[in-house]
Amino acid sequence: MAGPTRTASPLAPSPAADPAAVAKLKQKVVAVVRLLHLENILNYSGHVSARLPDGSGFIIQPYIESRATLRPEHLLTLDLDLNHLPGSPQYEMPIETRIHSEIYRARLDVQAVVHTHSELAAAFTVADAKLVPMKSHAKRWASGIPVHMDPSHIKSKQQGAELAATLGAHQAALLRAHGGVCVAESVEALLVDAVHFEENARAQVQALAIGPLLPLTKDELELLTARDNRRQHIGKLWRYYVGKGLREGALDNDEGLIGDY
């Protein structure tokens, strides 16, 4: 199996991150966790992470804290060997934190990761069916959505590295009888991708109930990619979901959340 795609040379860590930038990133991670809980993509399990601005490690929610009430002060800051960085709360980390650390180690382009235990995503790993791009925004996964065949929790460094190898240069992967992983270039983009990933899977199930599948063709995916307005689209949906979260009580306020897209 081919290993993950890396950039030509490692990215040199930038000077120590501005505390204000880290605080803002934490606010966004908390918002994504709460919003994905609102959308029933995260429930009692699953986790979101973001690479720290200085490249020293990543932010992730702790094991025990509810996704519905997570706060910035709950977030852990860890290096890629899962050591707590200075100032991090000493809470227990998620059992499958190696999913995040090993993807960040292998994919220097990835800035945010979500692991879900989505029943819909897992269904495509326990049926004789392949999840394919059905809706226009699924062009994000035009290169494929591989299935990682280890059905157990990803606990060890080796397991994490094997999952990162399955993911390779793709933007999502399914985990056999388990759930899914999406990666993105920002926390905001991760929220949008997680929502569209569920929408695409649901569209495939709905289409099968009507008749034979007609997934997007290679030519259609290339056309959609050529006409992509990803940054604009992310900004639109980010503002929509932040607003929805405020209206429905999933978010306390929008401080630090709006303005980057």
Side-chain angles (χ1 to χ4, degrees):
M1 181 182 294
T5 297
R6 297 176 181 266
T7 55
S9 60
L11 297 175
S14 62
D18 177 1
V22 174
K24 186 175 181 180
L25 185 61
K26 287 182 176 181
Q27 290 172 313
K28 291 180 179 180
V29 169
V30 166
V32 170
V33 170
R34 288 188 175 201
L35 292 172
L36 290 180
H37 181 267
L38 179 65
E39 297 302 312
N40 296 314
I41 295 173
L42 295 181
N43 45 38
Y44 58 84
S45 63
H47 19 86
V48 171
S49 69
R51 196 190 295 269
L52 285 165
D54 67 353
S56 61
F58 61 101
I59 296 165
I60 193 167
Q61 69 210 74
Y63 171 69
I64 199 65
E65 208 63 46
S66 168
R67 281 90 184 138
T69 57
L70 186 69
R71 299 185 63 81
E73 59 266 28
H74 298 146
L75 295 177
L76 311 178
T77 52
L78 308 172
D79 67 21
L80 297 188
D81 293 319
L82 306 193
N83 299 305
H84 287 79
L85 292 171
S88 172
Q90 298 299 302
Y91 303 136
E92 184 179 359
M93 65 191 70
I95 292 171
E96 296 188 288
T97 302
R98 289 290 186 185
I99 289 175
H100 303 261
S101 62
E102 296 311 308
I103 288 175
Y104 288 128
R105 195 188 305 274
R107 288 281 299 276
L108 299 178
D109 60 310
V110 169
Q111 301 301 315
V113 176
V114 61
H115 168 49
T116 79
H117 288 180
S118 163
E119 293 181 5
L120 186 57
F124 282 91
T125 73
V126 293
D128 187 11
K130 182 180 180 181
L131 182 57
V132 293
M134 298 296 301
K135 300 190 72 176
S136 61
H137 294 298
K139 65 182 178 296
R140 175 73 175 163
W141 307 290
S143 66
I145 305 169
V147 178
H148 188 60
M149 295 307 292
D150 181 353
S152 62
H153 281 128
I154 308 299
K155 296 181 179 179
S156 71
K157 182 175 180 179
Q158 179 178 343
Q159 285 179 296
E162 289 169 351
L163 172 56
T166 297
L167 177 66
H170 304 293
Q171 308 304 328
L174 297 174
L175 286 72
R176 164 81 170 156
H178 185 162
V181 170
C182 289
V183 301
E185 71 275 22
S186 69
V187 176
E188 296 94 329
L190 188 71
L191 171 72
V192 174
D193 285 350
V195 169
H196 284 326
F197 195 80
E198 288 286 302
E199 288 174 346
N200 187 72
R202 191 176 303 112
Q204 185 165 334
V205 172
Q206 291 168 338
L208 279 170
I210 299 171
L213 287 184
L214 295 173
L216 291 167
T217 66
K218 180 176 181 293
D219 287 345
E220 288 171 330
L221 288 167
E222 289 177 353
L223 178 63
L224 288 164
T225 299
R227 296 178 179 176
D228 187 35
N229 62 344
R230 180 168 170 81
R231 184 174 177 82
Q232 183 180 12
H233 180 70
I234 290 166
K236 175 184 176 181
L237 267 69
W238 176 252
R239 288 187 293 273
Y240 168 78
Y241 281 104
V242 168
K244 181 179 179 181
L246 290 169
R247 290 191 304 274
E248 300 192 20
L251 300 182
D252 303 323
N253 57 66
D254 63 358
E255 183 181 355
L257 298 181
I258 304 298
D260 291 340
Y261 274 85

